[in-house]
Amino acid sequence: MDEARIAELLQPFLTWPLSDRQLESISMYIDILLKWNQKTNLTAVRRPEEIVTRHFGESLFTAQRILPHVGAGAHTRPAEQSSATQTMVSGSTPDEAQAANAVLVVVDVGSGAGFPGFPIKIWAPEVRLCLIESNYKKATFLKEIVRALGLEDVEVFTGRAENFPAASADIVTLRAVEHFQDILPVAARLVKPEGRLALLIGNSQTEVARAALGDLQWQAPVSVPVSHNRVVLVGKIQAQT
């Protein structure tokens, strides 16, 4: 897909533009996804432009909400980088500022076609990413994306989230999965104390999440641009005393 068109479609979702390399990675990703989708049902969204907005746009918007410091300055021109990073850090808490310099582990539960996990990695190459996918064909696709895009520090776990080590992730993401209410405590189990659970869900599901995981410290849901009812809902796991 044309990279200039990708950049245009992603404008509503981004604080600042992606680099040429990032746009190239997204273009390659879409080409591979469309080819695989002809044989394996990875996504019901089949139009390239809709894939950009529905999948990449929402995922990159989420990346900015949960990783503002990791991505700060990484996508700007060198002359802009210092001021961009300073702006992002200036309004942060001490814990958030310290997190800006740490290597974060992100786990994407039920990754499917790789959203939001891969776009988060494209946005913030510094993170360590694990994609959990129990379907063998989908997991094989995820491994092909890792190889084709030359991504480092990415693991594909072919299995169930119940069998993944507990408290192993700084951030766990969850999007568009079946049996949403049942998987919530499974996903929360993977988050380290003081870590976060990021949900990409319909607005009507926010109360379901709050009720199922009432011990989390929930932020207000944030509406996804170019969407009627999609939100990003982030909850923080409290440290045990």
Side-chain angles (χ1 to χ4, degrees), residues 134-210:
S134 61
N135 182 287
Y136 179 79
K137 289 184 178 180
K138 292 180 179 179
T140 301
F141 165 78
L142 297 175
K143 293 175 182 178
E144 172 61 16
I145 292 294
V146 174
R147 185 201 64 79
L149 270 58
L151 300 175
E152 299 179 350
D153 289 329
V154 178
E155 173 192 359
V156 178
F157 179 79
T158 309
R160 296 175 60 85
E162 290 87 343
N163 298 324
F164 198 79
S168 55
D170 298 290
I171 299 172
V172 171
T173 58
L174 183 65
R175 176 183 188 252
V177 297
E178 296 181 354
H179 310 296
F180 173 68
Q181 188 168 355
D182 295 333
I183 198 64
L184 281 171
V186 177
R189 166 186 165 274
L190 305 183
V191 186
K192 296 177 182 179
E194 299 296 318
R196 290 168 291 162
L197 176 64
L199 308 175
L200 288 74
I201 56 179
N203 190 52
S204 62
Q205 294 176 297
T206 57
E207 292 307 315
V208 175
R210 292 177 186 273

Side-chain angles (χ1 to χ4, degrees), residues 5-7 16 22 37 50 65 73 95 98 105 127 133 137 161-163 172 191 207 221-222 224 228:
R5 181 56 178 159
I6 293 173
W16 51 78
Q22 289 168 321
N37 212 44
E50 193 175 359
R65 302 298 307 179
D95 288 343
Q98 182 178 1
V105 177
V127 303
E133 177 51 57
K137 289 184 178 180
E162 290 87 343
N163 298 324
V172 171
V191 186
E207 292 307 315
V222 179
V224 176
H228 294 296

Side-chain angles (χ1 to χ4, degrees), residues 51-102:
I51 289 174
V52 173
T53 55
R54 286 279 302 278
H55 290 324
F56 283 97
E58 179 175 301
S59 298
L60 290 167
F61 178 77
T62 301
Q64 293 172 104
R65 302 298 307 179
I66 61 177
L67 295 168
H69 306 296
V70 176
H75 315 275
T76 55
R77 293 186 293 273
E80 299 169 332
Q81 181 168 336
S82 177
S83 61
T85 304
Q86 183 177 1
T87 299
M88 298 297 283
V89 174
S90 62
S92 65
T93 67
D95 288 343
E96 290 171 337
Q98 182 178 1
N101 298 317

